Amino acid sequence: MNKRSIVPEGPPRIPPTALVTGASRGLGRALAAGLAREGYDLILDARNAGDLRAAAAGLPGTVTAIAGDITDAAHRAALARAAQAAGRLDLLVNNAGTLGASPLPALADYPVGELRNAFEVNVVAPIALTQLLLPLLRASGGAVLNITSDAAVEAYAGWGGYGAAKAALEQASNVLAAEELAVRVWWADPGDLRTDMHQQAFPGQDISDRPRPETVVPAFIRLVAQRLPSGRYRAAHLLPVTS
Ligand SMILES: NC(=O)c1ccc[n+]([C@@H]2O[C@H](COP(=O)([O-])OP(=O)(O)OC[C@H]3O[C@@H](n4cnc5c(N)ncnc54)[C@H](OP(=O)(O)O)[C@@H]3O)[C@@H](O)[C@H]2O)c1
């Protein structure tokens, strides 16, 4: 006689799903790969479709790549439809960002159009995308991870446009955390990373001493896996200390 217990068939289990913006390169690409390795299905975006396809290729699990600009309401709606089609959303990573004007101008000379664009990409779009996805995130007891910067809290000359936008994203995150008690809200500074954006901030300089984005992925996986309390984090403080 077969003594194994017979488990009644329930509805098919839907894997946890994460939506990562700006996932075609840099930190977003590394985070997407890390989450895929942890068993997440993914919804990914970036504007350049070819780069996004290349980043999505070969990742384990179900990956839905939708090219578009997060400042475009129709694109954000397409991302939300993909999350609804997936049946659940456990994590939204608002990672896509812009440095704004480069070389970094002083605020006295900051082109106002570039300033407005920095706020559109770094603040308005992540808030608008979060609004669309909150119902799914509430339903799953999910989380929002907003990628910010030390420039949000430190006064570096030249970083006023980017820093003011990141500061606004930080305070929006802080208020969201107070309002959405069923959802974790983290806003996190990854630290300096060897990426295109960082190179844009230091044109012509050798940035090869900056760590690769992959090095901070374990910090963010820890945040997610341990479901740490809502709040501001620095990747460096979440990583194990190495000698
Ligand atoms: N690198 C650092 O040292 C550092 C330090 C602190 C914080 N951060 C933050 O970390 C995040 C990632 O930065 P990164 O250094 O990895 O930058 P990156 O290498 O320039 O990558 C940015 C990603 O976002 C996408 N993106 C940019 N604008 C977009 C838009 N409007 N709509 C959709 N996708 C868009 C880019 O693809 P497309 O160009 O194809 O759209 C790319 O996939 C940013 O929020 C940044 O502020 C970075």
Side-chain angles (χ1 to χ4, degrees), residues 4 15 23 43 54 62 66 94 96 129 135 149 183 186 196 201-202:
R4 281 183 306 175
I43 301 164
T62 302
I66 304 176
N94 283 311
L129 185 59
S149 169
V183 173
W186 305 302
D196 286 8
F202 299 95

Side-chain angles (χ1 to χ4, degrees), residues 22 24 27 47-48 69-70 95 148 162 166 191 193 195 198:
S24 64
L27 178 61
R47 289 166 301 179
N48 185 299
D69 189 321
I70 49 159
N95 164 81
T148 67
Y162 174 86
K166 289 294 189 183
L193 300 172
T195 67
H198 199 85

Side-chain angles (χ1 to χ4, degrees), residues 1-234:
M1 184 182 157
N2 186 346
K3 289 190 178 166
R4 281 183 306 175
S5 61
I6 295 168
V7 181
E9 271 191 24
R13 188 186 153 273
I14 308 174
T17 303
L19 194 162
V20 183
T21 65
S24 64
R25 60 172 189 266
L27 178 61
R29 183 175 186 169
L31 279 175
L35 288 165
R37 283 193 299 271
E38 292 295 308
Y40 279 78
D41 281 352
L42 296 172
I43 301 164
L44 307 179
D45 108 315
R47 289 166 301 179
N48 185 299
D51 290 352
L52 185 60
R53 255 196 315 276
L59 292 179
T62 302
V63 182
T64 306
I66 304 176
D69 189 321
I70 49 159
T71 64
D72 174 2
H75 173 59
R76 292 193 299 266
L79 292 172
R81 278 196 302 278
Q84 276 142 17
R88 64 185 287 179
L89 186 70
D90 301 86
L91 178 65
L92 165 62
V93 185
N94 283 311
N95 164 81
T98 181
L99 184 68
S102 171
L104 294 166
L107 277 175
D109 309 313
Y110 212 106
V112 171
E114 301 250 29
L115 184 63
R116 191 170 287 121
N117 183 55
F119 274 76
E120 283 291 337
V121 177
N122 294 338
V123 191
V124 178
I127 294 173
L129 185 59
T130 304
Q131 288 175 340
L132 291 182
L133 295 170
L134 269 173
L136 282 171
L137 291 167
R138 288 183 192 124
S140 66
V144 180
L145 169 57
N146 289 329
I147 303 298
T148 67
S149 169
D150 59 339
V153 292
E154 302 287 345
Y156 303 127
W159 291 78
Y162 174 86
K166 289 294 189 183
L169 179 64
E170 294 219 351
Q171 180 61 352
S173 309
N174 205 350
V175 171
L176 188 71
E179 292 172 346
E180 297 291 335
L181 301 183
V183 173
R184 288 283 195 271
V185 183
W186 305 302
W187 52 110
D189 166 19
D192 287 355
L193 300 172
R194 199 185 318 168
T195 67
D196 286 8
M197 184 190 286
H198 199 85
Q199 185 68 75
Q200 217 187 324
F202 299 95
Q205 290 186 38
D206 178 9
I207 62 161
S208 62
D209 60 337
R210 278 37 158 217
R212 292 184 183 283
E214 290 74 16
T215 59
V216 294
V217 170
F220 292 109
I221 295 297
R222 181 178 161 207
L223 199 56
V224 172
Q226 298 184 357
R227 203 171 158 71
L228 294 178
S230 293
R232 184 177 202 275
Y233 290 87
R234 291 178 59 195

